[in-house]
Amino acid sequence: MNEVHIVCGVAAIVLNGLAGLWGAWGWWRAPPSRSFWRLLRLSQLAVVVEAAAGGIFYLTHRHVPGLHVLYGALPLAVSFIAEGLRVTSAQLVLDKHGHASAQAVGTVKAMLGPFGTPPAP
């Protein structure tokens, strides 16, 4: 079980590092990408699996330093807070522009021409 914990930890670190680098590059230079979001969700899943493996160790009364528990639980807490902020900010933008949902934005875009202008009559 210790090996599983180590492999999950390394995977979580690598995947989150890749997602962070890709996100920074995408913010700076690249157009939005669905692949980035898939990688980000995969890295979040790796953090959850790592926290679950750590939780199993903790519940089986393995000797674990308190700082190690903090390092294991903190990324999970930060992910939940960040996801809540993402949802809230998206809803604020939708409310500001008078859209009921993200799907409503799609119907508005479908009615517009190729340059975001209404089609000529």
Side-chain angles (χ1 to χ4, degrees):
M1 186 67 175
N2 191 29
E3 293 81 17
V4 172
H5 187 59
I6 291 171
V7 168
C8 289
V10 170
I13 291 168
V14 169
L15 288 170
N16 277 287
L18 288 173
L21 289 173
W22 191 348
W25 179 75
W27 175 77
W28 182 55
R29 297 288 257 165
S33 168
R34 286 182 187 253
S35 299
F36 163 74
W37 291 105
R38 289 184 181 120
L39 177 63
L40 182 64
R41 296 298 182 217
L42 183 63
S43 67
Q44 289 173 335
L45 177 64
V47 169
V48 170
V49 170
E50 173 61 14
I56 291 170
F57 270 156
Y58 187 75
L59 292 175
T60 58
H61 304 292
R62 306 270 176 137
H63 176 69
V64 180
L67 193 56
H68 188 82
V69 174
L70 177 67
Y71 284 157
L74 196 59
L76 193 60
V78 168
S79 292
F80 281 119
I81 292 168
E83 191 66 24
L85 289 172
R86 184 193 67 79
V87 169
T88 302
S89 64
Q91 190 60 50
L92 285 173
V93 170
L94 289 173
D95 292 345
K96 178 182 175 185
H97 295 287
H99 299 297
S101 66
Q103 289 76 22
V105 175
T107 59
V108 171
K109 284 184 178 183
M111 293 186 294
L112 297 177
F115 299 106
T117 57

